[in-house]
Amino acid sequence: GESVGLHLPTLSVQEGDNSIINCAYSNSASDYFIWYKQESGKGPQFIIDIRSNMDKRQGQRVTVLLNKTVKHLSLQIAATQPGDSAVYFCAENGHSGGSNYKLTFGKGTLLTVNP
Amino acid sequence: SQTIHQWPATLVQPVGSPLSLECTVEGTSNPNLYWYRQAAGRGLQLLFYSVGIGQISSEVPQNLSASRPQDRQFILSSKKLLLSDSGFYLCAWSVSPDGAFEQYFGPGTRLTVT
């Protein structure tokens, strides 16, 4: 079935390094993708989004890359800081079941930043 | 600016007891509203969504129900809780006219069924 998944469930990096979190999706009809950050005990926080007519989008210290050919999404965090430690989820807005109101979330990647 | 509230923040309930979790959104009109459940260390499972007052779509058959009595109020209920209902319950909203673009999440309710 349609799904969004992650290559790595955990990622540990040194403070100051760049982080790359990957996500694979299987629904070729997906036209919108989002990255969320979830700190322990809190709700997910919107980070950045990208539409399928784009390959790259940049925010503050974050970049999202979309490769539609291989159905792959990545989140790059520059100069990773301890405050970036969290679980990161990708989500897609595939037109599954005829509804355009839902997001399908991946399982999440735990990012740990070591000082 | 828009804000979303959920209460209570934490709840411990015995098996078989009723449940009522409330979510309200401020600063927007006619939002799409969502209830998710997140098990410990897991992803988000969509339970219900609503595109308007009285309009509820259920994603997973279970002993939970949802209601939307007002435009910016979304309630999650159960008549009899099960142990498997334990988890972190998240409410979210979106206002994109075409549907599920970015969703914004509330702080969540941690439910423990004992």
Side-chain angles (χ1 to χ4, degrees):
Chain A
E2 297 148 355
S3 66
V4 177
L6 292 163
H7 294 306
L8 296 173
T10 62
L11 178 65
S12 183
V13 301
Q14 291 298 122
E15 182 178 357
D17 287 351
N18 296 332
S19 303
I20 300 176
I21 301 171
N22 297 301
C23 180
Y25 66 95
S26 59
N27 185 355
S28 58
S30 297
D31 58 6
Y32 182 77
F33 304 88
I34 310 176
W35 281 101
Y36 286 93
K37 172 187 179 182
Q38 186 177 25
E39 297 176 83
S40 180
K42 298 183 178 180
Q45 178 185 7
F46 172 84
I47 301 174
I48 192 168
D49 59 1
I50 188 168
R51 295 179 185 266
S52 59
N53 60 354
M54 302 173 67
D55 298 323
K56 178 180 180 179
R57 191 172 186 208
Q58 290 184 296
Q60 186 178 12
R61 282 200 307 117
V62 295
T63 301
V64 56
L65 299 177
L66 176 63
N67 185 330
K68 295 180 286 294
T69 301
V70 295
K71 299 191 186 72
H72 185 267
L73 189 70
S74 67
L75 177 70
Q76 301 179 0
I77 305 174
T80 314
Q81 304 169 358
D84 294 327
S85 294
V87 176
Y88 290 81
F89 293 97
C90 62
E92 55 136 349
N93 177 24
H95 295 190
S96 59
S99 169
N100 198 29
Y101 296 106
K102 298 182 289 186
L103 292 174
T104 301
F105 285 81
K107 292 181 172 59
T109 292
L110 173 62
L111 174 66
T112 302
V113 182
N114 301 309
Chain B
S1 63
Q2 300 89 356
T3 56
I4 179 170
H5 304 278
Q6 286 185 245
W7 63 89
T10 60
L11 190 60
V12 180
Q13 292 284 94
V15 169
S17 64
L19 174 73
S20 181
L21 303 181
E22 188 165 344
C23 170
T24 58
V25 181
E26 296 177 356
T28 187
S29 297
N30 195 30
N32 300 322
L33 295 172
Y34 308 83
W35 277 113
Y36 290 87
R37 178 170 58 203
Q38 186 176 32
R42 305 292 291 274
L44 287 85
Q45 179 188 33
L46 179 63
L47 302 175
F48 301 94
Y49 68 94
S50 171
V51 301
I53 296 174
Q55 300 179 60
I56 308 295
S57 296
S58 175
E59 289 296 297
V60 182
Q62 55 203 327
N63 68 321
L64 299 173
S65 62
S67 62
R68 185 170 178 175
Q70 300 181 43
D71 181 45
R72 289 168 290 179
Q73 184 185 32
F74 205 23
I75 297 173
L76 183 69
S77 304
S78 175
K79 293 182 179 178
K80 290 185 178 182
L81 283 168
L82 306 173
L83 285 174
S84 58
D85 291 324
S86 293
F88 192 44
Y89 287 82
L90 290 156
C91 182
W93 66 273
S94 71
V95 290
S96 303
D98 295 328
F101 290 96
E102 61 266 31
Q103 295 178 15
Y104 297 94
F105 286 83
T109 294
R110 175 78 58 193
L111 172 65
T112 303
V113 183
T114 61

